[in-house]
Amino acid sequence: MRNTGIEYSNTERTPMVLPEMAELLPPLTEEQLAALETDLLKNGCYSPVIVNEELVIIDGHNRQMLCEKHGIPYKMAVFSFEDMLEAKQWALDNQKGRRNLDKWELGKIALKLKPDIEARAKANMSAGGGDQKSEEAKSGLVNSPNPISPIDTRKEMAKAVGIGEQTMGRIAQIEEKAPLVVKEAMDSGELSINQGYNITRQVQELPEEEREEAAAQAVELVRAKKEVQVLDAEAEHRGKVAALFCKAFERAVLLTPTEENVRFWVEGTRMRPDEIEDSIKEARELAEVFASIASILETLLPGGGGDDR
């Protein structure tokens, strides 16, 4: 990849939108798209749309679309790529840092790169004499001193998006074999990759007509377990808060705020004047805290305006 240094304005050239490039990454959320639109309307399009030498948009589809919608002028910077795989890889690398893409989303992007990876592998094999179906290979005319080894497609897909090979394999299995309900739960973040893979593997052992229903039940079970975990976490949080209040009151009632006791405290800790000032501030803040607690407790008494069921 290289920047050719060539730039066009949208009044000079019209870029082309290639669906496989435009749909490579997940669409922006409504909030993200609205924020981008607001920025463009306020500041104009200060970043050029990246196109290849055929003027196919490689990066900046949303900016280009919004600029066309509102009549905002924009520039196009022409980059040269070896092939569409390099262009897609560059677009992905350029956007990965800006978007919070999880492993499931990255794996689905990798699957979109699979045809390009396989095409490059086939071209490399032919160039190295490894394609035994080619006419040159059959004739025995190809004699490459450095034959190119076959490419591990799954490994290359995983490498392209930065996830593990095993994870990539599981994502591929889910995309190929999982019932729709599992894929939808994966897209919504309700299932982890391992959970989606395990459900997919389990339902494959069932008759085809039973798989969708079994998968739906398995997804519901995962949802129910998550709800229980949330309730348990909430109960644990409530318990911790209650314990904290008990300790605070237990320690507070041990204090007898006489002038003599306060002097003992100051002298015993060798408190400096600035530390005395800090302690005065903290004591007044604590007084406000306990006053607020007292007011809330009053509302919890029968007839105090709280829930007295």
Side-chain angles (χ1 to χ4, degrees):
M1 183 277 296
R2 67 181 177 85
N3 185 345
T4 67
I6 300 171
E7 276 197 357
Y8 297 113
S9 70
N10 63 308
T11 57
E12 296 175 303
R13 296 283 193 279
T14 301
M16 291 185 290
V17 177
L18 195 64
E20 65 185 85
M21 282 300 313
E23 298 166 9
L24 177 65
L25 298 173
L28 295 180
T29 64
E30 290 184 9
E31 293 79 8
Q32 290 171 329
L33 197 60
L36 177 60
E37 187 170 22
T38 299
D39 182 57
L40 288 169
L41 288 170
K42 180 180 179 181
N43 302 308
C45 188
Y46 46 83
S47 296
V49 173
I50 306 301
V51 298
N52 67 8
E53 291 174 303
E54 286 73 44
L55 296 188
V56 172
I57 298 177
I58 305 301
D59 185 58
H61 292 88
N62 293 299
R63 272 178 288 135
Q64 189 267 345
M65 178 270 293
L66 291 171
C67 285
E68 291 290 347
K69 174 183 175 181
H70 294 290
I72 301 171
Y74 60 92
K75 297 283 188 180
M76 290 171 279
V78 181
F79 280 45
S80 177
F81 299 93
E82 177 186 348
D83 52 22
M84 287 306 296
L85 178 57
E86 185 183 40
K88 291 175 182 177
Q89 182 71 68
W90 182 87
L92 171 61
D93 293 342
N94 193 44
Q95 288 290 333
K96 254 198 329 186
R98 306 178 191 176
R99 302 211 198 176
N100 188 24
L101 301 174
D102 60 30
K103 290 182 179 180
W104 169 247
E105 291 172 315
L106 290 170
K108 291 205 296 180
I109 292 171
L111 290 172
K112 294 178 182 179
L113 298 177
K114 185 178 179 180
D116 298 287
I117 291 173
E118 290 175 336
R120 180 182 286 182
K122 186 175 181 180
N124 289 345
M125 289 289 288
S126 296
D131 184 0
Q132 298 304 312
K133 295 181 181 180
S134 69
E135 292 302 318
E136 288 182 329
K138 290 177 182 177
S139 68
L141 296 176
V142 175
N143 184 24
S144 172
N146 298 304
I148 298 174
S149 301
I151 287 180
D152 184 333
T153 305
R154 189 176 81 175
K155 181 178 180 179
E156 291 300 314
M157 287 194 296
K159 181 181 176 182
V161 297
I163 61 177
E165 287 183 58
Q166 184 183 62
T167 300
M168 185 68 247
R170 292 189 171 191
I171 291 171
Q173 287 290 312
I174 295 169
E175 271 292 296
E176 181 182 354
K177 298 179 179 179
L180 180 61
V181 65
V182 173
K183 295 179 183 179
E184 289 176 343
M186 295 290 300
D187 288 338
S188 65
E190 294 177 284
L191 293 181
S192 69
I193 291 171
N194 285 340
Q195 289 171 329
Y197 173 74
N198 288 334
I199 293 173
T200 301
R201 188 177 59 178
Q202 290 163 9
V203 300
Q204 286 301 306
E205 299 173 1
L206 300 174
E208 187 173 354
E209 64 274 13
E210 298 178 14
R211 292 175 188 171
E212 193 73 36
E213 179 61 27
Q217 291 177 0
V219 170
E220 279 302 315
L221 180 60
V222 172
R223 288 173 179 156
K225 287 181 178 179
K226 281 188 177 180
E227 289 176 3
V228 170
Q229 289 172 351
V230 169
L231 291 174
D232 287 345
E234 176 63 21
E236 183 180 359
H237 173 67
R238 286 170 176 258
K240 287 181 178 179
V241 171
L244 182 64
F245 269 69
C246 287
K247 287 180 181 178
F249 268 84
E250 287 170 2
R251 292 174 181 176
V253 296
L254 294 175
L255 300 176
T256 305
T258 64
E259 182 177 348
E260 183 181 35
N261 287 343
V262 173
R263 285 184 181 277
F264 288 159
W265 172 40
V266 171
E267 292 169 0
T269 58
R270 296 180 180 178
M271 206 178 287
R272 301 190 309 268
D274 62 312
E275 292 174 329
I276 293 176
E277 290 178 358
D278 289 341
S279 296
I280 292 171
K281 181 180 178 182
E282 289 174 3
R284 297 194 188 286
E285 289 174 351
L286 286 171
E288 292 179 5
V289 169
F290 278 95
S292 297
I293 293 172
S295 297
I296 295 170
L297 287 172
E298 287 176 342
T299 67
L300 301 180
L301 288 171
D307 185 354
D308 58 357
R309 289 176 295 174

